[in-house]
Amino acid sequence: MSLTNLDLVNECDGFPYYETNPDVYLARVESYYELCISGYDYALGFMLPAVAEVFRGVPHWELDDEEQTLTLTEGNDAASRTAAIDKTLLAVRSTGHFKVLDKWRNEMYPVYGLNKELLFSVERSASPLFGVVTYGVHLTAYVKKNGETWVWIPRRAKTKQTYGGMLDNAVAGGMATGETAYESMVRECGEEASLSEELVRKLVKPVGCITYFSVRGEKAGGETGLLQPEVEYVYDLELPEDVILKPNDDEVEEFYLMSVDQVKTAMAQGEFKPNCALVMIDFFIRHGYLTAENEKDYIEIVQRLHRRFEFPTL
Amino acid sequence: MSLTNLDLVNECDGFPYYETNPDVYLARVESYYELCISGYDYALGFMLPAVAEVFRGVPHWELDDEEQTLTLTEGNDAASRTAAIDKTLLAVRSTGHFKVLDKWRNEMYPVYGLNKELLFSVERSASPLFGVVTYGVHLTAYVKKNGETWVWIPRRAKTKQTYGGMLDNAVAGGMATGETAYESMVRECGEEASLSEELVRKLVKPVGCITYFSVRGEKAGGETGLLQPEVEYVYDLELPEDVILKPNDDEVEEFYLMSVDQVKTAMAQGEFKPNCALVMIDFFIRHGYLTAENEKDYIEIVQRLHRRFEFPTL
């Protein structure tokens, strides 16, 4: 197996585009239900009909088969909407109907409106059921030796439920309601890579974000076909040679220090967790390792790492 | 006047999006004609009806009012299509009908198909009439002094026909057929900023591209409302303190060395040529000066600097 960088992008950004393929796009979108809340006339996510069906007749929800919308009718602020959704999800979870809810995380993910206001929060494991935009932080830690770049790459524990044994970014995590990207990153650096807060605050650099629209496959665990538009804030951390990254919990098996070519080879062999491969592609583009001259799909890749969504974002 | 960074993006990326505003998008697209060539079943650009009308009855062209397409019927390779288009454009130019053709450049811009093959080339000044994707290179030259970034910013000559007297990127230029982005950049660095080829090849770094879909306004010169999807390959050049940028021709009045805050202020005051402001925004994002914490439209800005087009790109 040898994957191109565009193959890697396709794996994460699998939802069709209206611009380049309107017929396929419209056929797909017309097959979904839109997640809405009372008083707001726009969609917050796309849902599979089989998922929306589970909410039929449930108090506080209205399923409209004509409009293909599922609307939360309860609550007039973030707290009351969040409580109503949580109550429904706990009941649904107890039935064992959705496999994704078996991995209940007790982490609340924010969902924003067009004015960047928090509309509600939703349990992390349930977010792909609703197809809402989720937010995370990814960091690339690297070292310069004689002008060459070496990247710190962890291998996920084989026992991890999702993408077990695959390669990852040095630090990555989801952003819960109330967290800023920067503080979330600093916290994860300590939790995941044993990096001191002082060092991270001194050296970490925010360098943009990548955005892509995934259709969940087998390896993500749980139901397939669920829709997941994601925003990952991206950070670079150039470390001194004497700082050694090591696991701080049992989620990471080991850290490797890999050359750019070694990382590229591992990516082409499909060894990286898919969205972590995209963070590496973005890193290689920003650092001049992937160029218009050596990557034939350069423009499309840059565009698709920064997809605009149908739904509001922060 | 104080412009936000999103205002600056809106100025360059003024074409509506299907994802966020399908009704407005479709109404706009339905008002245009599509530029096509025989044997290819996709559009290469959007044209104003008043522009397409000029091609009615012209040999080698077929205007279909039902399908709203203007199709080049002559030629079966890039050379023959290019010749046919050039012949038509020279004839149209001689009538004085289009103001944009008064600035005939004798530079040929490439237009690519879905397989990244060159379909034809078109005179630079005519490209906005057809609404085809054009390609350019933009470079940010900067200096680090005591950890602070200073950016080399030229002021365009007041006599320049387009955006005269406005601030610009250190080096910028269009890419003609046959040029690679990198070689085009090296050449422009000598022509526009008196930088030695050796220095540039040693220090210049490709760092991505920005893509946006402009609707031409007054300041661009010529007809307004013409459509211009653009790709700008972006380069960074960190210079030693002792390298001084100076104009090499009469297109640039003067070079300034500006702090990040000075550049931000000038951008907010509308002093930058619009697409050069976008290159600065991209630079500030990649270098950590604009962040999720200090720029409320961070995600939208990053996405819109990398727009996917309706037409093939290289």
Side-chain angles (χ1 to χ4, degrees), chain A residues 229-248:
Chain A
E230 294 195 304
V231 175
E232 307 289 1
Y233 294 97
V234 180
Y235 293 82
D236 279 1
L237 180 65
E238 184 177 345
L239 289 171
E241 285 190 44
D242 62 345
V243 175
I244 308 298
L245 265 62
K246 42 183 188 294
N248 194 24

Side-chain angles (χ1 to χ4, degrees), chain B residues 12 14 18 29 36 62 64 110 114 124 132 143 149 195 203 206 235 255 267 291 296:
Chain B
C12 264
Y18 180 84
V29 168
C36 300
E62 189 178 295
D64 184 330
L114 278 177
R124 176 172 175 167
V132 293
V143 179
T149 300
L195 284 163
L203 297 178
Y235 293 80
F255 270 98
M267 285 164 59
T291 69
K296 73 178 175 55

Side-chain angles (χ1 to χ4, degrees), chain B residues 83-154:
Chain B
I85 295 169
D86 216 42
K87 196 174 164 189
T88 304
L89 287 174
L90 283 166
V92 173
R93 176 194 178 197
S94 69
T95 68
H97 188 84
F98 290 118
K99 282 179 281 181
V100 289
L101 297 186
D102 294 345
K103 290 166 198 153
W104 193 273
R105 307 281 288 250
N106 280 316
E107 283 178 55
M108 297 304 268
Y109 270 8
V111 176
Y112 298 97
L114 278 177
N115 296 315
K116 304 191 200 306
E117 73 277 36
L118 179 68
L119 294 178
F120 60 83
S121 300
V122 61
E123 152 64 23
R124 176 172 175 167
S125 61
S127 57
L129 293 175
F130 292 117
V132 293
V133 178
T134 61
Y135 303 81
V137 290
H138 281 242
L139 175 135
T140 304
Y142 64 103
V143 179
K144 291 261 191 191
K145 293 183 187 181
N146 305 321
E148 285 207 23
T149 300
W150 294 77
V151 188
W152 282 106
I153 301 287

